[in-house]
Amino acid sequence: MQDYPVDVEVGDLFRHASPDLAAKWLAMADGLGALAGESGLTAQELVSRQILDLGMSFRLTGDDEERAWPLSPMPLIVGADEWDELGRGLIQRARLLEAVVADIYGPQRLVRDGHLPAALVTGSRYFARNMVGLSPEGGNRSGRPEGGSFIHVYAVDLARGPRGQWRVLGDRLRLANGIGYALENRLALSRGTGTLLTSIKARRLAGFFSQLRGGIARDCQRESPRIALLTPGRFNQSYPEQAHLARYLGFPLVEGRDLTVSDNRLYVRTIAGPKRIDAIWRWIDTPALDPLNFDARSQIGVPDLFDAWERGGLEMANQPGVEVLEAPAFGAFMPRLCKVLLGEEPMLPTVATWWCGQPREADMVRERMDELVISPAFGQPVEALTGTVPVPGSSLVGRDREALLEAMARRPMDYCGQEIVHLSTAPTLIDDKFVSRAFTVRAFVARGHDGQWTVMPGGFARLCASGELQTTLMGAGDLSADVCVVDDDSTPPPGPTPLMATPPVRRGGGILASQAADNLFWFGRYVERAEATVRVVRAILGSSIEVDAASGSNPEVVARLVALLERWGAITPETAQLSAAQACRAALGEASRPGGVATLFAMIRNTGLPLRDRLAPDFWRIASRPMPQIDTHRRGALLRVARELLERLSALSGLLAENFMRGPAWHFLDMGRRLERGLVLCAMVDALVAREAGENEGEQTEALGVLLDLADGQITYRSRYLTGPRREPVLDLLLLDPDNPRSLAFQMETLARHIGALPRLTEDLLPEQPLREALALLAPLQSLTIAAFDAARLREAQQGLFALSNAIAERYFLQYEKTDADDARQLLA
């Protein structure tokens, strides 16, 4: 750190720190170096391992796949005195925002008295006319507790100037993006650096999240309310963050189609019937919340959700319409509004802003364009500007500048000018060297148990790769950093927070939404089908253990296995005519086939994404690992890939067996595996054994040996019988033996137990349709001998499993219009 280069004019956090605070920076830097020396890994590698373990990822706009979260091992260290002063300004800002939005949807005195232009309010797409005249505790929402509020949690982008002054770049009331990453950054850094954060006396974040949870629960009518996190779905850029937050806070993670409104109450559809939701922390824009009351085109909202809120049957954080204040143009009026509404001078200034909806300001922006950045006034794309990111006026020349000036002349209210903010820098560890990078901070403010505002003692920092100011959460090449607020050495350690208090003892895993049950069921099916397909590929390429007859020695047996891959949709009929190695390569690597291994692994990842709040980090890390590269037809290389994939699937099975709580979620996940295992076993037996008379004995022996290999039964068979594979002993082991975990009978017994353990909708104790289907399938397997279990019985069992799958879906899953995602399931169903 002594050779750390920095421009002395930019207000670097380390170079301009007090001696005590500089010592904290040096202690952290020395500690990272010591950890690297002890482990033989760089500090970045130590933290990156934790990022993988936590499953931290994000998506840039336009990305199809998630990227690993870019976290710097060196945190942003801020002294407690500086942060506490900043926190007082943030709380004043939160009070101001609450007062402004309450006036906009209430008496509207600000517009009437000329403090706010009406066009500034109504020009935003987030202005919710339905909210006018309503308030959290008034209007039609009678009977609500006193002190209800529009805003429960909000994020604010901050810049620190060269002289250490902080100012607001923008308010985020719609979504508190980054709050989950702030938590994940702290977890990853704490795990990767041992006791370093404790040694520099970094303040903990747990108390803030406890206060946030208590603040949302405070306005609910029940003593132990059920709070859900409402997500737009797994394709949203911040979905990984939402899943992590839901898991940490204990909130069910729900989508719009999980929910329904009845009698002005919100319910989540679960396997045990509808369960009431008292409050939602929404991560959906107001227009998309309710297609009946806002944007009719919304496919992610809940019909009548607004009515439930209006009539007092639901709480929301934040309330609908508050994001109207996110418009950058509001920054031009915040200093005046602070004096008007609070009677106070702003403690935390807003970046200087001029809204072009006012003639004098519009002229000034045009005259000083080279000294300003030009932004869309309402945060939405506008003519002559690309996207919503501020553009330096000096970068607009020639025709681009003319186009902007023409657009501003036509619709001046769509634009605003803002001052160019010069950012402080902070030390960043890149390639084992400390370099300076400009930074912005996203801080978070929430209402606590008592309804008062509390500030997170830290936050999320974005270290700019280009050194230029951008307002997006993360850009290509940017790094994130944990913001650590540190106390001096004389500060006593903090006392226990409410999150650390001993809760009442309870058991069970909470509610299981129907859609989550659906995803768990299909997750299990995809895992099992992927394993079966890889086993067939391995059998074609070479047996898993040494046997008397190699699986590849009989062309007829190989042809049957290749035909099975074609039947499962892993290869095309044309590929089936090629060599066995070419067919195996296509089955493993081609993602265009619905039953191919690459497709199945993609479906495992896609189906697992909505389950991230339920899956352990180790499990998700293995499930989301990309497919190995396959660029050869060589049998040995393909066999190594098949073995690697089987090891990966075996690891998933082990984690499921040992680490998954035996509740409803487990029942559905294992039901999917058991049902699919029964189906693939029937298909394997049909392909390799159910043949016409005349098959020679050598061919039948080899086919039976391959079948044992596919069903992991070689060792058990050899320990039980001294002869080579024979038809009836092999089939008895694989179809009727209830002690064999891969037999058909075992699958059916397990399915019946799972279904029998699930909650029922009626109290008459009569078995529901899925259980009746399962028991009907189990009965022949328990009563027949293998001699009586002919090909017709095998087909009946297979058809019965398909019928059971449909019965499970009709009883427990949501019934909705078919989508593209269902096409991949059609092959299995």
Side-chain angles (χ1 to χ4, degrees):
M1 286 284 285
Q2 298 302 324
D3 298 327
Y4 168 62
V6 64
D7 181 352
V8 296
E9 299 298 326
V10 300
D12 186 78
L13 274 182
F14 168 61
R15 286 299 187 197
H16 295 153
S18 66
D20 289 342
L21 191 58
K24 305 274 190 182
W25 281 99
L26 291 172
M28 191 72 196
D30 292 342
L32 290 174
L35 285 173
E38 293 171 3
S39 65
L41 301 173
T42 66
Q44 186 63 64
E45 288 172 330
L46 290 171
V47 172
S48 295
R49 288 189 173 190
Q50 301 304 321
I51 290 171
L52 289 175
D53 288 345
L54 288 168
M56 295 172 64
S57 59
F58 77 116
R59 246 195 213 103
L60 289 176
T61 303
D63 280 358
D64 292 328
E65 297 294 331
E66 294 179 354
R67 305 185 181 202
W69 183 245
L71 174 62
S72 169
M74 172 59 81
L76 206 73
I77 300 176
V78 182
D81 291 342
E82 181 177 359
W83 190 264
D84 290 343
E85 182 180 355
L86 175 63
R88 288 188 286 272
L90 290 173
I91 290 176
Q92 182 196 55
R93 183 83 174 190
R95 292 168 47 222
L96 173 60
L97 293 172
E98 178 72 31
V100 173
V101 75
D103 180 82
I104 286 175
Y105 294 118
Q108 300 182 339
R109 295 190 186 95
L110 293 174
V111 172
R112 185 188 63 201
D113 296 342
H115 299 297
L116 269 183
L120 180 64
V121 176
T122 59
S124 172
R125 70 182 291 262
Y126 295 119
F127 174 62
R129 287 173 173 79
N130 309 41
M131 288 289 295
V132 175
L134 301 178
S135 64
E137 71 283 348
N140 293 334
R141 290 173 53 78
S142 57
R144 310 308 301 157
E146 291 296 325
S149 53
F150 282 93
I151 303 170
H152 284 81
V153 56
Y154 101 99
V156 53
D157 288 324
L158 301 169
R160 187 179 188 271
R163 297 181 181 84
Q165 72 277 24
W166 292 88
R167 64 183 65 192
V168 173
L169 297 175
D171 300 300
R172 290 181 171 266
L173 298 157
R174 181 167 51 105
L175 308 173
N177 293 98
I179 192 170
Y181 287 124
L183 174 62
E184 290 183 319
N185 283 350
R186 178 60 57 88
L187 292 174
L189 204 61
S190 297
R191 295 179 182 182
T193 62
T195 60
L196 278 181
L197 295 184
T198 302
S199 68
I200 64 172
K201 304 198 74 171
R203 290 181 179 177
R204 301 179 63 180
L205 305 183
F208 172 81
F209 285 97
S210 176
Q211 290 285 350
L212 186 155
R213 184 170 56 184
I216 298 176
R218 173 179 176 269
D219 290 346
C220 299
Q221 296 179 351
R222 291 200 292 178
E223 183 176 347
S224 298
R226 183 177 288 122
I227 304 169
L229 192 152
L230 178 59
T231 173
R234 62 186 179 88
F235 294 111
N236 184 261
Q237 280 182 280
S238 63
Y239 183 82
E241 174 186 16
Q242 297 161 29
H244 182 78
L245 275 172
R247 180 169 59 241
Y248 182 81
L249 294 171
F251 293 172
L253 185 66
V254 297
E255 297 181 35
R257 63 180 180 177
D258 291 321
L259 305 172
T260 185
V261 173
S262 178
D263 295 329
N264 298 318
R265 302 286 187 187
L266 182 67
Y267 296 89
V268 57
R269 298 179 175 99
T270 78
I271 61 169
K275 299 295 182 183
R276 181 179 165 186
I277 296 291
D278 300 282
I280 57 171
W281 184 7
R282 66 176 179 94
W283 285 64
I284 292 180
D285 298 344
T286 292
L289 270 176
D290 182 345
L292 297 183
N293 285 282
F294 295 110
D295 190 342
R297 297 167 296 180
S298 172
Q299 298 182 3
I300 60 175
V302 184
D304 294 323
L305 182 71
F306 179 77
D307 295 333
W309 175 84
E310 182 184 6
R311 289 169 173 79
L314 174 71
E315 294 301 325
M316 273 194 269
N318 290 329
Q319 309 291 8
V322 298
E323 53 264 53
V324 67
L325 299 186
E326 285 192 0
F330 262 96
F333 300 89
M334 283 301 176
R336 182 198 307 173
L337 297 180
C338 189
K339 299 173 187 176
V340 171
L341 292 173
L342 303 184
E344 302 170 1
E345 290 291 333
M347 300 170 62
L348 193 59
T350 305
V351 60
T353 304
W354 295 268
W355 180 48
C356 295
Q358 298 168 298
R360 185 175 63 181
E361 283 74 7
D363 291 340
M364 194 278 295
V365 169
R366 282 190 286 267
E367 292 170 4
R368 296 179 53 194
M369 185 171 291
D370 289 340
E371 305 170 26
L372 306 173
V373 292
I374 310 302
S375 305
F378 299 103
Q380 299 296 312
V382 293
E383 185 180 358
L385 291 180
T386 302
T388 59
V389 177
V391 176
S394 58
S395 69
L396 298 168
V397 295
R399 181 55 194 155
D400 290 339
R401 176 171 291 217
E402 291 177 8
L404 177 60
L405 291 173
E406 291 170 2
M408 290 175 64
R410 285 191 293 271
R411 289 186 57 85
M413 72 289 297
D414 288 342
Y415 303 86
C416 64
Q418 294 178 312
E419 68 172 316
I420 296 175
V421 179
H422 300 283
L423 303 177
S424 290
T425 59
T428 307
L429 187 58
I430 300 178
D431 296 331
D432 291 332
K433 293 182 179 179
F434 285 100
V435 299
S436 65
R437 274 201 174 184
F439 68 88
T440 59
V441 169
R442 182 162 295 173
F444 304 94
V445 187
R447 292 191 184 274
H449 298 83
D450 57 0
Q452 300 302 308
W453 292 106
T454 181
V455 179
M456 179 190 289
F460 162 86
R462 184 177 61 83
L463 304 166
C464 313
S466 63
E468 297 177 355
L469 176 63
Q470 298 180 8
T471 56
T472 51
L473 180 58
M474 288 293 290
D478 290 350
L479 293 176
S480 73
D482 183 20
V483 178
C484 290
V485 179
V486 295
D487 289 300
D488 59 44
D489 294 335
S490 63
T491 304
T497 68
L499 196 65
M500 300 165 60
T502 303
V505 175
R506 65 175 63 184
R507 294 180 181 174
I511 63 172
L512 180 63
S514 296
Q515 186 175 326
D518 190 344
N519 288 326
L520 287 160
F521 180 77
W522 281 98
F523 186 91
R525 290 195 65 174
Y526 288 132
V527 168
E528 192 63 33
R529 175 59 70 90
E531 180 180 337
T533 307
V534 176
R535 283 179 177 272
V536 171
V537 168
R538 185 183 65 174
I540 295 173
L541 297 171
S543 180
S544 64
I545 64 174
E546 295 297 327
V547 292
D548 295 334
S551 62
S553 63
N554 192 301
E556 174 59 25
V557 174
V558 172
R560 295 183 195 179
L561 294 173
V562 171
L564 185 58
L565 291 179
E566 180 186 348
R567 174 180 170 184
W568 283 347
I571 58 176
T572 64
E574 293 75 19
T575 304
Q577 305 303 315
L578 302 177
S579 70
Q582 288 174 309
C584 288
R585 186 203 178 283
L588 287 173
E590 292 185 9
S592 59
R593 299 297 302 161
V597 175
T599 302
L600 291 169
F601 270 84
M603 294 306 297
I604 289 171
R605 290 194 298 274
N606 291 340
T607 309
L609 271 173
L611 303 172
R612 286 174 75 152
D613 60 319
R614 297 179 178 273
L615 302 178
D618 287 343
F619 186 93
W620 177 245
R621 180 166 50 86
I622 296 173
S624 61
R625 192 177 299 169
M627 282 284 294
Q629 293 294 322
I630 304 172
D631 55 3
T632 179
H633 291 122
R634 289 186 295 125
R635 185 181 293 265
L638 293 173
L639 188 56
R640 284 194 295 272
V641 170
R643 286 171 175 165
E644 177 187 336
L645 292 176
L646 283 177
E647 289 173 0
R648 191 185 303 181
L649 292 164
S650 297
L652 286 178
S653 298
L655 288 170
L656 287 175
E658 297 299 326
N659 297 343
F660 218 94
M661 290 293 294
R662 278 7 183 209
W666 158 256
H667 292 313
F668 279 95
L669 194 150
D670 201 53
M671 274 199 298
R673 296 204 68 179
R674 300 299 173 182
L675 192 143
E676 189 63 30
R677 185 173 291 182
L679 285 171
V680 299
L681 182 60
C682 289
M684 290 173 178
V685 170
D686 180 61
L688 292 170
V689 179
R691 295 291 170 180
E692 300 294 333
E695 181 180 54
N696 66 65
E697 184 175 347
E699 182 180 316
Q700 184 184 74
T701 299
E702 183 169 344
L704 290 169
V706 171
L707 181 61
L708 285 171
D709 198 17
L710 292 172
D712 238 358
Q714 287 277 12
I715 294 175
T716 302
Y717 185 89
R718 289 185 171 199
S719 66
R720 187 176 292 179
Y721 303 103
L722 298 179
T723 64
R726 294 295 182 267
R727 190 177 192 279
E728 289 195 357
V730 168
L731 292 183
D732 180 77
L733 175 64
L734 300 185
L735 295 177
L736 302 184
D737 191 337
D739 297 322
N740 177 13
R742 288 191 172 271
S743 75
L744 185 61
F746 188 93
Q747 313 315 311
M748 293 315 308
E749 286 186 1
T750 306
L751 279 167
R753 285 199 304 272
H754 281 315
I755 297 171
L758 294 175
R760 302 180 183 182
L761 293 180
T762 62
E763 299 180 358
D764 56 17
L765 300 183
L766 294 175
E768 296 180 306
Q769 181 65 21
L771 184 56
R772 293 198 298 270
E773 296 274 1
L775 293 174
L777 280 170
L778 178 61
L781 300 176
Q782 292 178 323
S783 60
L784 295 177
T785 63
I786 195 61
F789 201 89
D790 55 14
R793 290 284 187 182
L794 184 68
R795 285 192 294 273
E796 287 178 7
Q798 198 168 22
Q799 293 167 358
L801 285 167
F802 284 124
L804 177 57
S805 179
N806 291 334
I808 291 171
E810 290 175 5
R811 162 59 182 88
Y812 296 107
F813 305 155
L814 300 182
Q815 306 302 311
Y816 53 87
E817 187 175 346
K818 184 179 178 182
T819 64
D820 293 340
D822 298 310
D823 293 337
R825 297 182 175 184
Q826 187 61 39
L827 184 71
L828 276 66

